[in-house]
Amino acid sequence: TNFYAGTGGSQVTAVSISGTAITSFSVISDVSIASAIIPSGLPVANTYNIVVSTTGGTSTISSSTKFTVTPARPVVSSITPATQQVNKGVTVTIAGTGFFGGTGTSNVTAVSLNSGSTTITINYAVATVTDTSISGAVITNVGLVAGNFDVFVSVGNGAGTNLASSLKFVVTGLNVSLTASAPASVPNGKSVTITANMSTGGVGTSSVTLTCICTKPTKATITGIANQVTDGSGNAAFVISSTNLTTAGDYTFSVIGSTSGTTATATGDFMVAEAPKAGDVSVAGKVFTPGKGLNNKVVFSYTSAPTDNVELSVYTLKGRLIRKLTFAPGATVQWDGTDASGNVSEGGILLWKLKTGSKVSGGTIVIAK
């Protein structure tokens, strides 16, 4: 009241908020001042006094003349690092705004990760907290399970907790690796050993049960392959008996195992050769298709390992040399169907010749396209 100070027009000389001038306002009647713009220099959450001065005097301060500045809800904009493996602690920095809760000092009351089903407390007591950063906060390995977690910062002074956003802290399962291998070629009617290794976080994982599935060229699955348990170095071996390896061709296999909530699979293949031909040589993949995932090469095996280098020559039926390769004793003698320039040979029947010492062997192979 009395903004006209007993006259017919405005007598207001100043409007202020706790000593800070409000410079933009409009006195529209003896009892009303409109469009008063509160200045932006009030960052601290508090209650402030509104004072109006006129030529007739200055208003008194009372409980009804308070203007309240409330703290904004905190905002989390990033967490660094943003990912970690299970069972491993990590120190993080959380960036955002409003961690002081509208005051001049930290008002953080809680920091946590939440996946909806799991809540993990972050130790911020050891952190350095500013209004825009919580650096050096610690996430321990206790209860840290795989999943995507919202990052929540709770602030007192009425500010509350930030809203969930697209920002997530990702906890991954341990890096589980499974490898498996077999010889490139196996003589017809001989057993084969498939070796496997499972590691977790780069360390061999012991006492894990592995399963091996092996499929014949006829697409039939070999039965009776016993599960194996990894040893202290994460190794295991599967022996496929000779009675299951009497069909020449490409056999495929898969080894499967689970640990730390992660299932890993390793795949591979090996060839079973035809029965030995003249010169004591057996051929695996006599009919093959270069560049394909399976049956993509031909492999030659001696039933008696040579002590000299092995020279492989491949010819057309008209005697034109397509490729000549030399292999050291004990090396796998194979050809992928390409010439010296890397071009795939034309399809059809080809002649092969092997020479080691004074022993020469030969026969035919077929490139299928």
Side-chain angles (χ1 to χ4, degrees):
T1 60
N2 295 322
F3 297 151
Y4 283 1
T7 70
S10 172
Q11 297 297 309
V12 175
T13 57
V15 180
S16 65
I17 178 169
S18 290
T20 298
I22 297 175
T23 58
S24 178
F25 59 88
S26 177
V27 181
I28 60 175
S29 73
D30 188 51
V31 295
S32 178
I33 299 174
S35 303
I37 298 176
I38 304 296
S40 60
L42 297 173
V44 179
N46 208 336
T47 54
Y48 295 83
N49 298 313
I50 300 294
V51 176
V52 176
S53 297
T54 70
T55 55
T58 300
S59 62
T60 59
I61 296 174
S62 70
S63 60
S64 63
T65 61
K66 304 294 185 181
F67 181 84
T68 302
V69 176
T70 59
R73 184 191 296 269
V75 173
V76 173
S77 57
S78 69
I79 182 169
T80 307
T83 184
Q84 181 60 300
Q85 289 184 347
V86 297
N87 300 327
K88 289 188 176 181
V90 63
T91 300
V92 297
T93 294
I94 300 170
T97 57
F99 300 151
F100 279 5
T103 69
T105 187
S106 172
N107 262 287
V108 174
T109 59
V111 184
S112 64
L113 302 175
N114 186 281
S115 66
S117 59
T118 302
T119 298
I120 298 171
T121 299
I122 299 177
N123 181 8
Y124 68 92
V126 296
T128 299
V129 182
T130 69
D131 193 46
T132 58
S133 175
I134 303 172
S135 58
V138 175
I139 302 174
T140 68
N141 63 349
V142 178
L144 201 61
V145 297
N148 295 333
F149 291 80
D150 292 306
V151 183
F152 288 125
V153 175
S154 298
V155 176
N157 200 33
T161 303
N162 61 286
L163 299 174
S165 69
S166 58
L167 170 70
K168 305 295 179 185
F169 182 81
V170 180
V171 181
T172 62
L174 290 176
N175 181 22
V176 177
S177 174
L178 180 61
T179 60
S181 62
S185 175
V186 180
N188 195 291
K190 299 291 185 180
S191 64
V192 66
T193 299
I194 297 172
T195 58
N197 177 270
M198 173 171 273
S199 64
T200 305
V203 179
T205 309
S206 63
S207 303
V208 175
T209 299
L210 302 182
T211 300
C212 180
I213 301 171
C214 188
T215 305
K216 296 181 179 183
T218 59
K219 307 304 180 185
T221 300
I222 296 174
T223 60
I225 303 176
N227 293 345
Q228 299 295 321
V229 178
T230 57
D231 62 16
S233 299
N235 298 317
F238 301 88
V239 177
I240 300 177
S241 66
S242 58
T243 57
N244 290 305
L245 304 177
T246 57
T247 302
D250 212 346
Y251 289 65
T252 60
F253 62 85
S254 298
V255 177
I256 305 168
S258 297
T259 184
S260 301
T262 299
T263 298
T265 302
T267 60
D269 69 303
F270 61 91
M271 289 182 138
V272 171
E274 293 180 341
K277 303 297 183 182
D280 202 28
V281 174
S282 58
V283 182
K286 183 174 181 178
V287 179
F288 70 104
T289 306
K292 299 297 183 180
L294 297 174
N295 298 309
N296 61 358
K297 60 184 176 293
V298 58
V299 182
F300 303 90
S301 301
Y302 284 88
T303 54
S304 298
T307 57
D308 297 315
N309 287 344
V310 177
E311 183 180 87
L312 168 66
S313 302
V314 182
Y315 304 87
T316 66
L317 289 176
K318 294 183 179 180
R320 178 175 63 84
L321 179 65
I322 297 176
R323 190 72 185 272
K324 179 177 286 189
L325 297 165
T326 300
F327 301 88
T332 301
V333 180
Q334 62 184 27
W335 180 51
D336 62 0
T338 61
D339 60 20
S341 299
N343 299 314
V344 175
S345 177
E346 61 187 50
I349 301 174
L350 302 174
L351 303 174
W352 62 267
K353 183 180 73 173
L354 286 178
K355 183 178 183 300
T356 177
S358 60
K359 180 185 292 186
V360 178
S361 305
T364 60
I365 53 177
V366 178
I367 289 183
K369 290 190 175 181

